Amino acid sequence: NIGSSEDIGPSKFSVKDVHRIGVLDIRLCNLDRHLGNILVSKIDHNRSIKGNQGDNEFDNKYKDSDYKLVPIDHAYILPDFRHLEEVNFEWLNWKQTKVPFSQDTLDYIKSLNPFEDAAKVKMLGLEDSSAMTLIITTLFLQHCAKQGLTLWEIGNLIQRHGMGNEKSVLEKVVQSAMTQYKKKAMEMIREPYSLGREDGGHRITSKYDLRWSRKLDVFLKLIHDAIKSKLDHYPAQILHEEGESEEAD
């Protein structure tokens, strides 16, 4: 590498690369993504590589970027799904985040299976609460992308604003689901985020053996409903106006 992203102006980075890192950070709910832990490598255009193939003029402007971004330092990822207040995406200040996702990126997001990925996380020894975070952030990302939101808009729904005193939209989604879950918890025993194997219940068909108990099915249904409900109140136009207001300040 030739340094970090703070050493080189972000205008030199491709839209595809910025979106790639943004999608990763959203799924991992990165608490410490700053310019210093995005390394930059020089691209050798004499080698056979695939160029970025975007859907708009802005993406085409960056298709021949001389630089490749390499994210590092992922020690502070996948926090407990009930504690998402410290999420930090410093790339939100980059103008590439306001470019719509390419069709390739949309197809990738749609293809993600958060349940299989949660099983993999469990196999690596991470806590149940971290596996649940991966499920929630992926479902949230998929719903937002389907609604046509940009990376900038999605990031601003996940990261707190200003002094960080008010919960983010994603935090409110989880809070809403937990509140509704507690009302239904009288007949359930286990924690809503337990992802261990359990006899009975619904089994996700994959090579990763992950079985869902009734209580987890209920909680995930509440998460899905909360995502849809919250996003219906945050159209892109409102996000744009809020962003313009913050820039003016």
Side-chain angles (χ1 to χ4, degrees):
N1 69 79
I2 59 174
S4 66
S5 61
E6 62 187 344
D7 301 318
I8 300 173
S11 63
K12 298 181 182 296
F13 306 144
S14 72
V15 171
K16 184 175 182 179
D17 251 7
V18 174
H19 286 188
R20 178 174 57 86
I21 291 177
V23 168
L24 173 68
D25 283 346
I26 286 173
R27 295 196 70 206
L28 298 181
C29 209
N30 202 329
L31 306 182
D32 188 37
R33 174 62 72 212
H34 54 80
L35 303 184
N37 58 25
I38 301 178
L39 300 184
V40 181
S41 296
K42 186 79 171 178
I43 294 176
D44 182 359
H45 289 289
N46 293 322
R47 299 178 62 184
S48 176
I49 59 173
K50 286 186 176 181
N52 299 320
Q53 298 180 1
D55 305 308
N56 48 63
E57 294 182 2
F58 190 92
D59 201 25
N60 289 333
K61 177 181 177 182
Y62 286 86
K63 68 180 286 187
D64 295 322
S65 173
D66 292 328
Y67 304 97
K68 179 178 179 59
L69 300 178
V70 181
I72 62 169
D73 190 9
H74 297 95
Y76 298 102
I77 60 171
L78 294 177
D80 186 310
F81 72 96
R82 295 160 297 186
H83 299 287
L84 308 178
E85 61 274 7
E86 296 183 12
V87 175
N88 179 62
F89 305 138
E90 202 159 332
W91 41 254
L92 277 177
N93 297 315
W94 296 352
K95 58 185 179 181
Q96 294 94 324
T97 62
K98 294 187 178 182
V99 177
F101 288 126
S102 69
Q103 189 58 52
D104 284 346
T105 300
L106 289 173
D107 290 342
Y108 169 72
I109 292 173
K110 183 179 179 180
S111 72
L112 294 171
N113 187 326
F115 309 107
E116 283 194 359
D117 291 340
K120 296 175 186 178
V121 165
K122 283 281 293 175
M123 291 171 65
L124 292 173
L126 273 71
E127 298 292 334
D128 290 349
S129 56
S130 293
M132 179 57 77
T133 295
L134 180 59
I135 293 174
I136 293 173
T137 54
T138 303
L139 293 176
F140 190 80
L141 171 65
Q142 289 176 324
H143 191 90
C144 289
K146 185 177 180 181
Q147 294 289 91
L149 273 63
T150 64
L151 178 60
W152 181 82
E153 291 165 341
I154 300 171
N156 275 291
L157 293 175
I158 298 174
Q159 180 175 292
R160 289 190 177 189
H161 299 278
M163 299 298 292
N165 297 322
E166 183 178 351
K167 292 181 182 295
S168 69
V169 173
L170 181 59
E171 287 179 275
K172 292 176 181 177
V173 163
V174 175
Q175 184 180 49
S176 175
M178 289 297 293
T179 298
Q180 292 299 315
Y181 180 83
K182 289 177 182 178
K183 296 178 180 179
K184 301 175 179 291
M186 296 297 293
E187 57 192 73
M188 304 177 207
I189 300 175
R190 295 179 183 272
E191 290 293 317
Y193 51 89
S194 175
L195 302 180
R197 296 184 182 183
E198 187 173 304
D199 291 334
H202 178 63
R203 176 174 178 175
I204 302 300
T205 303
S206 76
K207 62 181 179 180
Y208 300 99
D209 190 5
L210 181 63
R211 302 187 181 190
W212 302 98
S213 63
R214 177 172 172 269
K215 50 81 193 174
L216 184 54
D217 285 332
V218 170
F219 183 62
L220 289 174
K221 174 64 166 57
L222 292 171
I223 284 289
H224 178 273
D225 292 345
I227 289 174
K228 187 175 185 304
S229 175
K230 290 294 182 183
L231 288 183
D232 285 346
H233 293 85
Y234 289 86
Q237 182 178 356
I238 293 178
L239 278 170
H240 178 74
E241 291 173 352
E242 290 179 349
E244 292 296 329
S245 175
E246 288 183 5
E247 290 177 3
D249 294 340

